[in-house]
Amino acid sequence: PFILSIAGGGSTYTPGIVKSLMVRLEDFPLAEIRLYDIDEARQNTIAPVVEKVIRDHSQSIKFTVTSDAQTAFRGAHFVFAQMRVGQYKMREQDEKIPLRHGVVGQETCGPGGLAYGLRTILPMVELIDLVERYADKKAWIVNYSNPAAIVAEGVRRLRPNARVLNICDMPVAAMRNMGAILGADRHKLEVDYFGLNHFGWFTKVRVDGEDRLPELREHVARFGLLTEDAAQTDPQHSDPSWVKTWRNIKPIMDHFPDFLPNPYLQYYLMPNDIVAHQNADYTRANEVMDGREKKLFAAAAEYQRTGILPDAYHVGVHGAFIVDVACSLAFDLRQRHLVIVENKGAIANLPYDAMVEVPAYITSEGPEPVRMGAVPLFHQTLLMQQLASEQLLVEATIEGSYEKALQAFTLNRTVPTMQHAKAILDEMIEANRDYWPAL
Ligand code: G6P
Ligand code: MN
């Protein structure tokens, strides 16, 4: 049985991930779960909920809650990482500062994502070093930490040999919705997909070997990437703002009816529409703080008071996916999953060393990407521009370079002019004083 550490243990996602682990104990046996967080108070609030989730399924799994890295990682076989540097208060800034300049305010797309990247790359590398110091030499870090594309590139640059697999639940969430639309279990879908994280396209959606993409495209052009009545099987992406996000890819389908875009492409291809409908005073960070966060903290308090735990955490693809990936790593299952990997020719006309998102077979020695071939000029060009923006941001972080940060902001498609880029960057430097390296 494995020792598993969750870095970012105080996250509101932790109970859902642990629930997913509990229903898969036969596939992924556990001796111990350790929660690790640098925010001790927050983690201590969440921990009793997590312990209850464990005890409902197992009396024998040891449960440890710590802020000490050695205690957290000593001898660990797996680390699930989900850090949020600066927490939701800084997400709010990532979203609101660009909006004040008429630019998309989003946690991973546009200037917000770049700012979040500048906060996260170095702490992520610190975490990797701690894990390498204390954990089992064969330990895998499965990393959900955002902004995943930039974090993956930063890790490749700074710790190229680390046993880190960067993942995102957006493709699998899209596949959950596709399954609902097609009336097929999402596990039966086999997709082809190319791009960067939060920036890519599905090119094939096979069910029992038959490509159902044409049918899916017709549906999406009418209703968005949702069932007709917007019903979903997973509460994680069901808030009204998420329903809007799934629906919003309809216009992209109208203009470019090729492939099936990751919904996040709406921020890059129609930023004007997005900004026009965003409330600059109340963004997604506010919704999450007032919604998901409050709900779980209230449930934790009620559980402490009454011993009864209200159902206040998400169990869905987010938790299920990271457990699937861990199983495949642990037992060399070679399952096919969409993950973030070094390109190495998988997308023929993108750089060999780019961190791309493609299907890969997950072996015990890591992902083996599947060749997606060459992509059309239009998509290649969009991808190259986004890649350059993200790579310059990583270099800005490593070198402490203002100039490269400005270039990264300027090259991002969400940012209309260099003046916008500079004004937003300068405000962000102020807001991130406690987090960014000096530029
Ligand atoms: C999707 C993305 C994640 C992102 C999350 C935000 O799951 O893949 O990268 O963090 O959405 O969701 P939220 O509910 O926090 O806005
Ligand atoms: Mn993601």
Side-chain angles (χ1 to χ4, degrees):
F2 301 119
I3 299 172
L4 168 79
S5 310
I6 300 182
S11 165
T12 38
Y13 285 109
T14 306
I17 289 177
V18 170
K19 177 76 189 183
S20 297
L21 286 163
M22 292 304 106
V23 300
R24 296 290 299 280
L25 279 175
E26 278 183 21
D27 303 322
F28 194 75
L30 286 167
E32 183 174 357
I33 293 178
R34 301 179 186 157
L35 302 191
Y36 170 71
D37 207 303
I38 56 173
D39 184 341
E40 224 178 320
R42 194 186 154 106
Q43 179 164 262
N44 286 338
T45 307
I46 303 284
V49 175
V50 177
E51 184 164 27
K52 162 88 171 126
V53 174
I54 295 173
R55 291 296 162 246
D56 281 350
H57 294 265
S58 163
Q59 299 308 310
S60 61
I61 294 173
K62 192 173 167 206
F63 180 57
T64 304
V65 182
T66 182
S67 294
D68 173 61
Q70 186 171 357
T71 310
F73 302 128
R74 192 175 28 215
H77 304 103
F78 283 88
V79 177
F80 290 177
Q82 45 165 357
M83 61 168 72
R84 182 178 283 284
V85 181
Q87 301 183 326
Y88 283 98
K89 277 283 153 216
M90 289 309 298
R91 176 176 180 178
E92 189 181 7
Q93 294 304 312
D94 293 342
E95 293 167 349
K96 288 186 177 175
I97 293 171
L99 275 172
R100 285 206 285 273
H101 298 271
V103 171
V104 167
Q106 217 279 333
E107 64 156 349
T108 66
C109 301
L114 297 172
Y116 194 10
L118 263 154
R119 289 202 301 279
T120 309
I121 292 168
L122 300 179
M124 189 63 215
V125 168
E126 270 176 51
L127 176 71
I128 292 169
D129 290 348
L130 289 169
V131 172
E132 288 189 342
R133 178 161 343 141
Y134 298 120
D136 186 277
K137 290 298 156 239
K138 289 249 159 194
W140 273 103
I141 302 172
V142 190
N143 184 30
Y144 256 142
S145 307
N146 263 330
I150 291 170
V151 169
E153 170 65 6
V155 169
R156 182 187 73 83
R157 289 288 294 269
L158 294 169
R159 295 293 180 273
N161 299 317
R163 287 167 72 91
V164 179
L165 180 54
N166 299 288
I167 61 167
C168 163
D169 67 341
M170 196 59 188
V172 76
M175 288 166 69
R176 168 201 61 210
N177 291 11
M178 291 174 191
I181 293 165
L182 296 172
D185 185 278
R186 71 175 174 87
H187 295 99
K188 295 208 111 191
L189 270 49
E190 189 198 76
V191 301
D192 285 356
Y193 180 95
F194 69 80
L196 312 175
N197 177 243
H198 290 187
F199 200 110
W201 290 265
F202 292 89
T203 59
K204 291 242 156 57
V205 178
R206 298 180 204 89
V207 184
D208 296 326
E210 186 195 348
D211 184 16
R212 305 278 294 273
L213 189 70
E215 175 187 343
L216 207 48
R217 271 196 324 223
E218 269 173 40
H219 177 101
V220 174
R222 293 181 63 197
F223 307 109
L225 192 43
L226 283 162
T227 54
E228 210 169 320
D229 59 2
Q232 288 180 78
T233 50
D234 192 331
Q236 196 204 332
H237 300 98
S238 298
D239 279 357
S241 57
W242 263 108
V243 170
K244 206 161 102 189
T245 304
W246 295 115
R247 283 214 196 292
N248 259 344
I249 70 171
K250 281 192 296 184
I252 306 178
M253 298 302 293
D254 291 343
H255 299 311
F256 300 107
D258 57 351
F259 309 150
L260 192 63
N262 186 310
Y264 278 110
L265 280 166
Q266 63 193 252
Y267 298 112
Y268 300 97
L269 296 177
M270 39 188 246
N272 52 338
D273 277 25
I274 301 295
V275 172
H277 296 105
Q278 267 192 306
N279 180 349
D281 300 317
Y282 195 83
T283 59
R284 180 65 187 154
N286 300 109
E287 278 179 358
V288 171
M289 285 187 278
D290 292 344
R292 184 163 73 221
E293 293 267 299
K294 271 211 179 117
K295 197 172 158 204
L296 184 59
F297 285 123
E302 190 177 327
Y303 176 57
Q304 292 293 59
R305 237 185 8 255
T306 64
I308 297 162
L309 178 61
D311 182 12
Y313 54 89
H314 298 312
V315 185
V317 291
H318 177 270
F321 181 56
I322 196 168
V323 177
D324 272 341
V325 168
C327 284
S328 205
L329 285 169
F331 300 110
D332 199 34
L333 299 181
R334 293 166 189 260
Q335 284 174 356
R336 179 174 167 137
H337 293 294
L338 284 171
V339 294
I340 302 159
V341 290
E342 196 171 343
N343 185 22
K344 294 185 178 163
I347 303 172
N349 50 354
L350 283 192
Y352 191 81
D353 62 0
M355 294 303 289
V356 298
E357 197 167 72
V358 290
Y361 293 98
I362 311 298
T363 81
S364 54
E365 287 306 308
E368 285 180 7
V370 180
R371 282 173 193 279
M372 292 291 108
V375 302
L377 182 62
F378 173 72
H379 307 79
Q380 181 201 16
T381 308
L382 286 172
L383 286 165
M384 284 303 297
Q385 182 176 356
Q386 177 70 4
L387 186 64
S389 171
E390 293 176 345
Q391 290 188 335
L392 283 163
L393 193 282
V394 170
E395 288 175 16
T397 310
I398 296 171
E399 297 165 20
S401 166
Y402 178 88
E403 199 179 339
K404 286 191 171 171
L406 184 57
Q407 290 175 347
F409 278 58
T410 305
L411 270 182
N412 202 279
R413 269 188 69 84
T414 60
V415 180
T417 70
M418 187 172 237
Q419 287 99 317
H420 286 85
K422 182 164 170 41
I424 295 168
L425 176 60
D426 288 347
E427 261 189 59
M428 283 181 155
I429 287 175
E430 272 304 301
N432 283 278
R433 261 193 321 261
D434 297 340
Y435 299 99
W436 281 7
L439 295 184

